[in-house]
Amino acid sequence: MTATIIDGKAIAQELRVNIAIATAVLTEEHGIVPGLAVVLVGSDPASEVYVRTKSKAVTDAGMRSFDHKLAESTSQAELIALIERLNADKTVHGILVQLPLPKQIDSAVVLNAVDPGKDVDGFHPVNAGRLATGQRALVPCTPFGCILLAKKIHPSLSGLEAVVIGRSNIVGKPLAQLLLAENATVTVAHSKTKDLPEVCRRADLLFAAVGRAEMVRGTWIKPGATVIDVGISRVPGEDGKTKLVGDVAFAEAKEIAGAITPVPGGVGPMTIACVILNTLRAACASAGLPEPRI
Ligand code: NAP
């Protein structure tokens, strides 16, 4: 059996088109142009590429993009002062602080300074608490994208056995909360889990968010399961260059799984699409409007 390949790039593109349509309606009917401020401190080349990609996605959707590029030597106080200005700015509906931050800055202090209503990364403890208690929240973009991909295969996740490998605050934990909200039966595995292959073999839905190249073998997968691979690792390729791989041994897994995301081209493009979706959601919530229908 060869798995259906879940084309995250195409699904994200379709989502971005729908977000652009909903944004145009919001602007026309309510005079609101959603705005996203992206704050980058320092000049990490990978972060610069990511920020440029996000800014383009924002403007392509008919939103405003406000880029703030600060020097590597920026103090925590200076960064917090900028966040407070953005919190007060009515044209800014979403604030995204690119991580990692330089050593002199405590990321938790900075992320906690973002207005929870503008926290499009969904990292603020208020949003984490709202998600955990089933209230309207801005939820982290990568797990949000994972759920949207899983629902392309299973329109209802209710009653399915879901296993999430990884328990980080930005992926594993919020993903588990989102799956619970979808009525899946959820197991969260991590580095101390005993007999991880056996735990994974229970999963109708297997999510890998570890960061260890091709750790999940084909034999760990229940035949016909849906596999969503969040991991990104750079490894040496056959041609002497490097290549990106996920946490799942794709060539083996696609022979056993029912559906699987590739790396690259799976979860990654969905993360960006969900940043702009969260910006739209934040803009609607700030005006007291219901959730946009996408
Ligand atoms: P993280 O904070 O390093 O968390 C990794 C998790 O994996 C931890 O919970 C850890 O367990 C667990 N783990 C480590 N080794 C393990 C093992 N041998 N067996 C089982 N579990 C193990 O990483 P993250 O930020 O969640 O990111 C995970 C991966 O997703 C990375 O490759 C990252 O680059 C990628 N990512 C991709 C996107 C995207 O847009 N595609 C976005 C975010 C992240 P403990 O808690 O016990 O240490």
Side-chain angles (χ1 to χ4, degrees), residues 165-168 171 207-216 229-235 245-248:
I165 321 173
R167 57 174 164 179
S168 70
V171 189
F207 299 86
V210 180
R212 292 172 74 103
E214 302 187 322
M215 179 185 88
V216 176
D229 191 351
V230 183
I232 306 173
S233 302
R234 196 167 274 286
V235 298
V245 296
D247 287 342
V248 179

Side-chain angles (χ1 to χ4, degrees), residues 156-162 176-186:
S156 167
L157 307 184
S158 181
L160 295 179
E161 283 279 347
Q177 296 291 356
L178 286 166
L179 286 162
L180 272 180
E182 295 286 340
N183 297 319
T185 302
V186 186

Side-chain angles (χ1 to χ4, degrees), residues 16 59 163 171 256 261:
R16 285 169 58 170
T59 49
V163 171
V171 189
I256 317 256
T261 57

Side-chain angles (χ1 to χ4, degrees), residues 50 123 141-143 146 164-173 188-193 196 208-213 215 220 229-234 245-247 263 266-272:
Y50 192 47
F123 293 163
C141 298
T142 299
C146 290
V164 179
I165 321 173
R167 57 174 164 179
S168 70
N169 289 337
I170 63 168
V171 189
K173 280 184 201 157
V188 182
H190 46 76
S191 67
K192 307 292 184 292
T193 296
L196 184 59
V210 180
R212 292 172 74 103
M215 179 185 88
W220 298 21
D229 191 351
V230 183
I232 306 173
S233 302
R234 196 167 274 286
V245 296
D247 287 342
V263 176
V267 173
M270 290 300 284
T271 299
I272 303 264

